[in-house]
Amino acid sequence: MTTTEAEGTGAATPTGAPETPGAVPAGTAEHAVHGYHDHKQEHLKRLRRIEGQIRGLQRMVEEDQYCIDILTQVSASTKALQSFALQLLEEHLRHCVADAAVRGGDEVEEKVAEATRAIARMLRT
Amino acid sequence: MTTTEAEGTGAATPTGAPETPGAVPAGTAEHAVHGYHDHKQEHLKRLRRIEGQIRGLQRMVEEDQYCIDILTQVSASTKALQSFALQLLEEHLRHCVADAAVRGGDEVEEKVAEATRAIARMLRT
Amino acid sequence: MTTTEAEGTGAATPTGAPETPGAVPAGTAEHAVHGYHDHKQEHLKRLRRIEGQIRGLQRMVEEDQYCIDILTQVSASTKALQSFALQLLEEHLRHCVADAAVRGGDEVEEKVAEATRAIARMLRT
Amino acid sequence: MTTTEAEGTGAATPTGAPETPGAVPAGTAEHAVHGYHDHKQEHLKRLRRIEGQIRGLQRMVEEDQYCIDILTQVSASTKALQSFALQLLEEHLRHCVADAAVRGGDEVEEKVAEATRAIARMLRT
């Protein structure tokens, strides 16, 4: 698995190797391995915990638990989702956006605009 | 004033028992059947759909899908959770809070303060 | 000024005086004096403080202060606005919605639906 | 690689001085002119409009307008503030964060962490 290689590039070659598109090996296209890849197991663990929270909510509804207690649990789940999203976003900025900046050209503009739209969606929910 | 009767019924008397205050069996105290009870099946369906979205997120992470696409899906899930919370809250205000108002006394103050704290938690996530 | 009278009624007469629509004096129509009236001076003070924060933001932009510091100040201002909204909402639930419940009829349904839409707008910003 | 030049210009060299690292005068350290500088007048206009909204809220409270109408206006103001914050953040990512990536080293890590914390604060309000 060459994950670390792909990941490692990051902003790591600002001075050295000439970074031309042609130099990127076929298999490691920009999106092939993302910033969050490093923490894949951690992410899956988080998501499984959130899945458990959602099942817990179903149990609470089935058992006719008190509305406010259910709302508290919903807030905990949305908080956990937001926290997951923030970590993903941080890794995305650190890798995808920073890499685009290092590569230069228009790409960074697009990446930043795309990330900003994602943040706007997070804010609106 | 027949408000209490009208409010109190909720889904509480599916069998048709006459609902007079004195008739409430010991085990079905105020919180036994909540405002959201009417829409229990609808709520469970919503929550199962959200659970499916969370599993979809796990698949996306496992398949190394693009961060921004995952973030979009996270936003859809938090939106669905918020929407579920809003419906629950509406039913809570309609039943529990309104019932407390009709019963009079200090209880409505407590119910409103409790609901406001729940809304504050929703806003902060 | 009969504000306190109007305010005071709230859910305060659940047992005593018969509450018929005809008994409401002409000048104290439902919307004439709202729940938040009691805290009018407090609300105005809060809003003036928020206005000061917004002017502070203008100063920060004029002085080319660091983006992140400006964002921190924006978050403080939105937090202050949300907190103001929550207090207003609490008073609205305590007075307008609870009063509608006590009066009975369809009005409470409308009031609750209206309040829920307001909460949904708060969540989406 | 001419990325640094392209990025670095921003509104930083209005006079056209060649921008080599060594040429940066003492007083114009990294933070002296930020990404949002380009849109300074636009930002000030936005903020003045928000200030007007906050004054409008004070008028509404003074005139005892309906709580829900005030809440609607509060939501419009928080939305305007969030929208301002998003634009600021986008410019920050485009300039400060991207520049740090191009310069290389640990700075981009810090910048990304700092931006993520700012986004977290925006989400929590």
Side-chain angles (χ1 to χ4, degrees):
Chain A
M1 205 193 267
T2 59
T3 318
T4 26
E5 276 171 58
E7 295 289 343
T9 53
T13 56
T15 51
E19 206 176 55
T20 59
V24 180
T28 57
E30 185 209 339
H31 285 170
V33 179
H34 305 292
Y36 66 83
H37 195 96
D38 289 359
H39 304 100
K40 202 166 164 171
Q41 290 315 315
E42 192 190 327
H43 291 326
L44 287 172
K45 212 170 143 187
R46 258 171 190 261
L47 287 170
R48 276 192 289 264
R49 210 177 309 132
I50 295 170
E51 191 193 328
Q53 287 179 309
I54 307 297
R55 268 202 297 269
L57 279 166
Q58 292 170 49
R59 228 175 1 255
M60 291 178 93
V61 168
E62 261 159 12
E63 296 171 357
D64 290 315
Q65 288 192 31
Y66 186 41
C67 336
I68 296 290
D69 295 337
I70 300 181
L71 287 175
T72 301
Q73 181 61 25
V74 173
S75 291
S77 303
T78 44
K79 202 175 196 122
L81 274 169
Q82 293 275 31
S83 168
F84 167 70
L86 273 173
Q87 202 190 333
L88 218 64
L89 181 72
E90 182 166 15
E91 292 161 15
H92 179 67
L93 293 175
R94 185 168 290 143
H95 297 281
C96 309
V97 176
D99 284 6
V102 172
R103 276 192 296 274
D106 290 343
E107 197 196 347
V108 70
E109 291 283 318
E110 288 158 38
K111 287 289 175 202
V112 164
E114 184 188 56
T116 306
R117 284 193 302 269
I119 298 163
R121 278 193 298 271
M122 286 164 67
L123 279 172
R124 250 149 242 158
T125 52
Chain B
M1 200 191 275
T2 57
T3 319
T4 334
E5 274 171 59
E7 295 287 344
T9 51
T13 55
T15 53
E19 202 179 56
T20 59
V24 179
T28 58
E30 186 211 338
H31 286 167
V33 179
H34 304 291
Y36 67 82
H37 194 97
D38 290 359
H39 303 100
K40 202 166 163 170
Q41 290 315 313
E42 192 190 324
H43 291 327
L44 288 172
K45 213 169 141 187
R46 257 171 191 261
L47 287 171
R48 277 192 288 264
R49 211 177 308 132
I50 295 169
E51 192 193 327
Q53 288 179 307
I54 308 297
R55 269 202 296 269
L57 279 167
Q58 292 170 50
R59 226 172 4 253
M60 291 178 92
V61 168
E62 261 158 12
E63 295 171 358
D64 290 315
Q65 287 191 31
Y66 186 42
C67 335
I68 295 291
D69 294 337
I70 300 181
L71 286 175
T72 302
Q73 181 60 25
V74 173
S75 291
S77 303
T78 44
K79 202 176 196 121
L81 274 169
Q82 294 274 30
S83 168
F84 167 70
L86 273 172
Q87 201 190 332
L88 217 66
L89 181 73
E90 181 166 16
E91 291 161 16
H92 178 67
L93 294 176
R94 184 168 291 142
H95 297 283
C96 309
V97 176
D99 284 6
V102 171
R103 276 192 296 275
D106 291 343
E107 197 196 346
V108 69
E109 291 283 319
E110 289 158 35
K111 286 288 175 202
V112 164
E114 184 188 56
T116 306
R117 284 193 300 270
I119 298 163
R121 279 191 297 271
M122 287 164 68
L123 279 171
R124 249 149 243 158
T125 52
Chain C
M1 206 195 271
T2 58
T3 319
T4 28
E5 275 169 58
E7 295 288 344
T9 53
T13 54
T15 52
E19 206 175 54
T20 60
V24 179
T28 57
E30 185 211 336
H31 284 170
V33 180
H34 305 292
Y36 66 82
H37 194 96
D38 290 359
H39 303 99
K40 202 167 163 170
Q41 289 316 313
E42 193 190 325
H43 291 328
L44 287 172
K45 212 169 143 186
R46 258 171 189 262
L47 287 170
R48 276 192 289 264
R49 212 177 308 133
I50 295 170
E51 191 193 328
Q53 287 179 309
I54 308 297
R55 267 202 297 268
L57 279 167
Q58 293 170 50
R59 224 171 7 251
M60 291 178 93
V61 169
E62 261 159 12
E63 295 171 357
D64 290 315
Q65 288 190 32
Y66 185 42
C67 335
I68 295 291
D69 295 337
I70 300 181
L71 286 176
T72 301
Q73 181 60 25
V74 172
S75 291
S77 303
T78 44
K79 201 174 198 122
L81 274 170
Q82 293 276 31
S83 168
F84 167 69
L86 272 173
Q87 201 190 334
L88 218 64
L89 181 72
E90 182 166 17
E91 292 161 15
H92 180 67
L93 294 176
R94 184 167 290 143
H95 296 283
C96 309
V97 176
D99 285 5
V102 172
R103 276 192 296 274
D106 291 343
E107 197 196 347
V108 70
E109 291 283 318
E110 289 157 37
K111 286 288 175 203
V112 164
E114 183 187 59
T116 306
R117 284 193 301 271
I119 298 163
R121 278 192 297 271
M122 284 164 70
L123 278 171
R124 250 148 242 157
T125 53
Chain D
M1 202 192 275
T2 58
T3 320
T4 334
E5 273 172 58
E7 296 287 344
T9 51
T13 54
T15 52
E19 203 177 57
T20 60
V24 179
T28 58
E30 188 210 337
H31 285 169
V33 179
H34 306 291
Y36 67 82
H37 194 97
D38 290 359
H39 303 100
K40 202 167 163 170
Q41 288 315 312
E42 193 190 325
H43 290 327
L44 287 172
K45 213 170 142 185
R46 257 170 190 263
L47 287 171
R48 276 191 289 263
R49 210 177 308 132
I50 295 170
E51 191 193 328
Q53 288 180 308
I54 307 298
R55 268 201 297 268
L57 279 167
Q58 293 170 49
R59 226 171 7 251
M60 291 178 94
V61 168
E62 260 159 13
E63 296 171 357
D64 290 315
Q65 287 192 33
Y66 186 42
C67 335
I68 296 291
D69 295 338
I70 300 181
L71 286 175
T72 302
Q73 181 61 25
V74 173
S75 291
S77 303
T78 43
K79 202 175 195 120
L81 274 170
Q82 293 274 32
S83 168
F84 167 70
L86 272 173
Q87 200 190 333
L88 218 64
L89 181 72
E90 182 166 15
E91 292 162 14
H92 179 68
L93 294 175
R94 183 168 291 142
H95 297 283
C96 308
V97 176
D99 284 6
V102 172
R103 275 192 297 274
D106 291 342
E107 197 196 347
V108 69
E109 290 283 317
E110 288 158 37
K111 287 288 176 202
V112 163
E114 182 187 60
T116 306
R117 284 193 301 269
I119 298 163
R121 279 192 296 272
M122 286 165 68
L123 279 171
R124 250 149 243 158
T125 53

